[in-house]
Structures are given as C-alpha cells and as structure tokens.
Amino acid sequence: FMQSVYTTFGMTYKLELSTRPKKALGDVELWDRAEAALARAMDTFAGKGGWRENPGDGAFYGPKIDIKVMDAMERVHQCATIQLDFQLPIRFDLQYNTGSKEKGNEFARPVMVHRAMLGSVERMFAVLCEHYGGKWPLWLSPRQVMIIPVHKDWNDYCQEVRDKLHDEGFYADVDLSKSTFQKKVRSAQVDQYNFQLVVGGEEVKNGTVNIRTRENKVEGEKKVDELIAYLKEMRAEHK
C-alpha cells in the first residue's frame, strides 16, 4: 500500500529500520525479536541491501520502519512510518483468544502497530507543493481547465462546455473578463491551469475546443466529448 501511495505521487523513497533507543521500555529479548521480524519483512519487501539500519532511533515503546521520501529536487522528507508498540497492550491489559485448548495458552498479548502513510496531512501537503513546484498534475489540481472565448459572442457556448466538464467532476472556469485574448491565455498559464480551452467561431460551429497546455503547447481541436474522455483517462492514470 505504501509503495502504491508514493508511486502515485511520483515520489521515490528509502527505508530505514530504527532500533532500540537508550531509554526504551520493555524486555531486551522482546525488542530483539521485534527488530529481527521487521528486518525480515524489509528483506522480503525491498530485498537484502535495499534498506539500512538507523541505530537507536526507535520509539521508546518499540522499533519502527521509517519511510523517507525524495521530492523532485531529491530533498529528503520523513513522512510515512510503521511502528511496533509493546507498551499500550500491556498497559490496557489487552489479550486475544488464541484458539488453543492448552491450559495457560488460551490467551496471548497482541502487539499494536501504528501505521501512518502520509504522516501529518498538513506536512504532506507542503511536501507535495514543493515536489510539484506548484504545477499540480490534473488529478490533484485545484485549477484544471480555463475556457477562453475569443469574443463575447461565444460566452454562452463556453458556459455550456464548462457545465459539461463540471458535471463530470472537473474544476473548470470561464474567463469572461474584458482582457485581451493574449492576456487571458497568459493569466491562465500563470495561475497554473492544466489546460486552456480556446473557443472561437470555428469551435462553436464544430462543437469543439482548441486545447493549449499550461506550457503553452497547442494540442489542437477536439470534440468536447473526446476532451472529456481524454481528461477522464488522465485522471484515472493519476497524470
């Protein structure tokens, strides 16, 4: 699941096993068994040599796996973590039924697992802002499409296109300002809209839009329904 999350965001990561700190609670033997179990799990997931040990940086209640992600500029961020906790089950006197009929083995103490895939959501949002440099992919973008009429005569058609996009779950705006065409396009690019849809007389006649990207690449005319299918495909593929 963790691999799926960070692959979706387009981020690479490295794994560390943080082991028993000096001020640790619990038996050393239990710590050793837990660290060995986590090491085996990491060998299975990443392969031997695919992770490193971080001595003495575990939590006071148990060892943990730290997932450090790298953004587009190769800066390291501590985000996800998986921690074993021996102490809370002891303090709450938690037990589970083992199913055994043997006297004294009917119940056993569980180990609690704390798993945070993003860490703090607010901090993860800041990391993603840095990672994408403000250029959010379509599936995450708060400004996906700006529709730009060449003349006010095409405003109604632009509103119709906007409504179709909105009904399909896309964030779309129409620039009905009195700015020049060039200024409208430039403003949409500065505001990081993923696409600008230019509409003139030919587009209204053909039931199409003329597509530009925020990098000012002209992709040409598409039927509105074809555009919606294209955007849906991008969204489904997390692009």
Side-chain angles (χ1 to χ4, degrees), residues 70-170:
M70 279 75 79
D71 63 20
M73 297 179 69
E74 294 300 316
R75 291 171 297 192
V76 178
H77 304 275
Q78 171 64 61
C79 293
T81 184
I82 301 169
Q83 304 176 357
L84 297 188
D85 185 347
F86 317 128
Q87 301 308 314
L88 281 181
I90 293 172
R91 295 191 178 198
F92 285 107
D93 194 23
L94 301 180
Q95 298 183 38
Y96 66 92
N97 191 322
T98 64
S100 173
K101 302 297 184 182
E102 186 179 342
K103 185 73 172 176
N105 291 326
E106 298 93 332
F107 295 92
R109 183 84 66 198
V111 173
M112 187 177 292
V113 178
H114 301 278
R115 188 184 74 163
M117 283 296 97
L118 301 181
S120 161
V121 173
E122 294 83 357
R123 185 168 179 276
M124 188 65 199
F125 180 73
V127 169
L128 289 175
C129 285
E130 294 285 338
H131 176 57
Y132 293 124
K135 295 182 182 293
W136 296 90
L138 180 79
W139 73 280
L140 269 181
S141 180
R143 291 176 170 173
Q144 295 174 317
V145 177
M146 174 63 82
I147 306 167
I148 302 172
V150 175
H151 190 275
K152 65 180 181 180
D153 290 350
W154 322 130
N155 287 359
D156 289 344
Y157 177 79
C158 289
Q159 290 283 19
E160 291 174 12
V161 174
R162 183 263 173 201
D163 291 344
K164 283 186 177 181
L165 288 166
H166 187 268
D167 289 344
E168 295 294 341
F170 294 102

Side-chain angles (χ1 to χ4, degrees), residues 10 26 31 54-55 75 80 102 126 131 148 214 220 227-228 231 238:
W31 273 86
N54 187 14
R75 291 171 297 192
E102 186 179 342
H131 176 57
I148 302 172
R214 64 183 162 204
L227 167 70
I228 290 172
L231 296 179
H238 301 110

